[in-house]
Amino acid sequence: MVFGVMERFGVARRVAAAAIVAVAAGGGGHNHLRDYDFASRSMALVYVAPPRPELVTGWYDVSAVDDPVSAVVAAGSGVAKEVVGRKARSRLDSATSLVNVDSLMSNRTLERASRFLGTRPVQDRGNADFLLEVDMHSSGIDIRGSRAAYLFMSATAVLLDARSGREIWSFDIDGRNRLTPFLYGGNRWPTGAVTAGVLNTVTVADFQRALEQLADFSSGEITDRLREALRDARN
């Protein structure tokens, strides 16, 4: 009887451990990477992009401010940033026309993912053995905070067997990272805070550098998740 109980306990432990491994390997989606030999095979990337990177300004949250005078000042600052933000968006649009974020992100993602998988990156989707589809839901620069600006991105990445259409790996990615100061002229941004006055000085060239950072950041978020899944599968 004791042996039977212990045996059932051991089975339960093994089942639980297997479940934990399966969840860890799944990374929030499918993970059948261990079923494939990627060496020397080809992979192309399919990129589904949002219309344009966003500049999110928003309003200051003054609901938690107890002092009425401070609340008025905070609200006024928020309005000022929103007004200046509308003009800044036109400069961001100009920078977007000069920096092909989609192309930068796609090329860097395909190159790095291919290096991890051991595949050969190709542009011809019709003859590729695998397809890495990246559906970018949103991306851009968030300056709502009073202390710093942040890059953000939200995407779904799916690795497909191009022949069978099987979903080999997938992951929903929501990334956020502090933006390295992109205001280089003098002492324009000494504390990292993005006030209305500071935002008014951001040039098209500044936004170009920020967009290049956004492409690198987005590519890194996607390929880092793939690398983690590969480690789980290979271990």
Side-chain angles (χ1 to χ4, degrees):
M1 174 66 76
V2 173
F3 176 77
V5 171
M6 293 300 295
E7 184 180 30
R8 287 196 295 274
F9 176 72
V11 170
R13 264 197 320 187
R14 289 194 295 272
V15 170
I20 292 171
V21 171
V23 170
H30 294 84
N31 189 341
H32 303 293
L33 292 166
R34 71 183 63 194
D35 298 342
Y36 288 84
D37 181 9
F38 296 97
S40 302
R41 302 182 72 186
S42 60
M43 181 172 69
L45 187 139
V46 180
Y47 184 52
V48 183
R52 284 178 180 274
E54 305 173 58
L55 178 64
V56 181
T57 55
W59 297 76
Y60 280 8
D61 181 9
V62 298
S63 59
V65 178
D66 296 327
D67 180 5
V69 175
S70 299
V72 170
V73 172
S77 300
V79 172
K81 184 184 285 190
E82 182 63 29
V83 171
V84 174
R86 292 173 187 172
K87 297 178 181 179
R89 287 189 188 95
S90 65
R91 297 195 294 277
L92 177 61
D93 289 342
S94 298
T96 302
S97 66
L98 298 173
V99 178
N100 192 331
V101 178
D102 299 353
S103 178
L104 282 175
M105 208 286 302
S106 298
N107 291 337
R108 291 169 186 176
T109 301
L110 178 60
E111 178 184 358
R112 193 168 187 232
S114 296
R115 187 163 63 248
F116 292 150
L117 289 167
T119 53
R120 177 169 46 88
V122 297
Q123 298 299 322
D124 186 0
R125 303 171 186 172
N127 291 320
D129 296 309
F130 303 101
L131 294 174
L132 178 58
E133 180 179 290
V134 176
D135 185 358
M136 187 70 71
H137 308 308
S138 63
S139 67
I141 306 168
D142 184 350
I143 60 170
R144 288 174 295 180
S146 60
R147 296 181 180 274
Y150 288 86
L151 299 170
F152 69 89
M153 57 83 69
S154 175
T156 299
V158 182
L159 180 63
L160 299 167
D161 184 328
R163 301 289 180 258
S164 66
R166 184 191 187 193
E167 190 172 299
I168 302 170
W169 169 80
S170 65
F171 204 99
D172 292 318
I173 304 155
D174 288 291
R176 185 175 171 84
N177 190 47
R178 183 163 180 162
L179 174 62
T180 302
F182 58 97
L183 304 178
Y184 296 107
N187 196 26
R188 296 157 61 192
W189 195 1
T191 65
V194 186
T195 63
V198 168
L199 182 59
N200 198 39
T201 68
V202 179
T203 66
V204 172
D206 292 328
F207 275 126
Q208 282 183 256
R209 286 186 284 269
L211 290 174
E212 290 169 0
Q213 287 188 44
L214 179 62
D216 280 337
F217 166 64
S218 299
S219 175
E221 286 291 293
I222 294 165
T223 52
D224 283 349
R225 298 302 186 280
L226 176 60
R227 180 174 60 178
E228 291 168 5
L230 279 168
R231 284 174 177 170
D232 290 334
R234 289 167 177 169
N235 290 336

